Structures are given as structure tokens and as C-alpha cells.
Amino acid sequence: MGGVIRDNEGNFIAGHSKKLHVPLGAIETEAKAFEAGIVFVGEIGIWDFVREVDSMVMVQALCEFALAPSSVASLVYGIVAAVHDFWSLNFSHVRRNGNKPTHFLAKHAYDIVDYCARY
């Protein structure tokens, strides 16, 4: 999985790649990536942001517009509880091809042992 943090003008602030050591389906991977992203922004001290997600199912579950799929329900509810620690957090759906840097970092995870971050 991978993630990119940008400022409000689109400039790079930080990025991270993390290798998952278990086989997961698409929605489970999206949920784990979202969780890792929330942890990452908290670690670098960003408390006001928009989280872009390319899974409409995850956006709807996180915004509590729809029930989370049962395979990720406990993880989604944990994320919803954790985001209350942030000053402002909004979720936004982006098309998969609109998030190329994040997908590049996710592919980079194949070449690392566990976790890599750049500031």
C-alpha cells in the first residue's frame, strides 16, 4: 500500500509505502491502506486534511452513508472512532487513475521489507 500527503496547493509533503504480509482482497486492502494513512498523518502531525480514497464502498462506509462490508466492518468502525482525534477530516472519492503517485508508492512496497516513509 502507499500514500501521498500534499498541501492545499498540491505540493508533496510526505509519502509512505507499506508491505502487507498477508493476502487480502481489494476492499480489505483499501481498509488497511486507509488505516495506515490515518496513522501516518497522525505521526507526522497533520490534524486537518482531506483523505482521498479510490473505493466508493470505503467512502460510503467511512461517512456512515452505508454499512461497511462484514470483512472490514470492525476495521472501518475503528477508523471512524480514530478520526475523531483530528481537527478536521473529510473523505473524498477519486477515480483510480486520478491517484497515480499513490499507486506508484503501493507498487514500491513490493521492493521493501516492511515500511518506508519520506518527508
Side-chain angles (χ1 to χ4, degrees):
M1 68 182 77
V4 175
I5 299 173
R6 299 183 193 140
D7 66 15
N8 58 347
E9 296 175 359
N11 300 312
F12 178 87
I13 295 175
H16 69 110
S17 296
K18 181 172 177 56
K19 182 175 263 186
L20 294 173
H21 297 282
V22 295
L24 298 173
I27 194 69
E28 292 83 8
T29 302
E30 288 286 344
K32 292 298 284 181
F34 194 93
E35 178 185 50
I38 294 294
V39 170
F40 184 60
V41 296
E43 287 175 350
I44 64 173
I46 296 175
W47 302 103
D48 181 11
F49 62 99
V50 174
R51 176 63 163 97
E52 295 180 340
V53 184
D54 62 9
S55 167
M56 184 60 82
V57 171
M58 284 298 297
V59 171
Q60 290 177 342
L62 291 164
C63 292
E64 300 178 323
F65 295 146
L67 293 175
S70 60
S71 63
V72 294
S74 62
L75 186 56
V76 168
Y77 299 136
I79 292 168
V80 169
V83 300
H84 291 278
D85 293 338
F86 295 95
W87 298 336
S88 174
L89 170 59
N90 294 301
F91 304 113
S92 174
H93 178 258
V94 295
R95 294 186 185 270
R96 188 170 302 271
N97 61 1
N99 208 1
K100 289 181 182 181
T102 297
H103 290 286
F104 173 76
L105 287 172
K107 287 181 181 180
H108 172 67
Y110 287 114
D111 298 327
I112 61 175
V113 174
D114 183 43
Y115 186 76
C116 180
R118 298 281 186 252
Y119 304 89

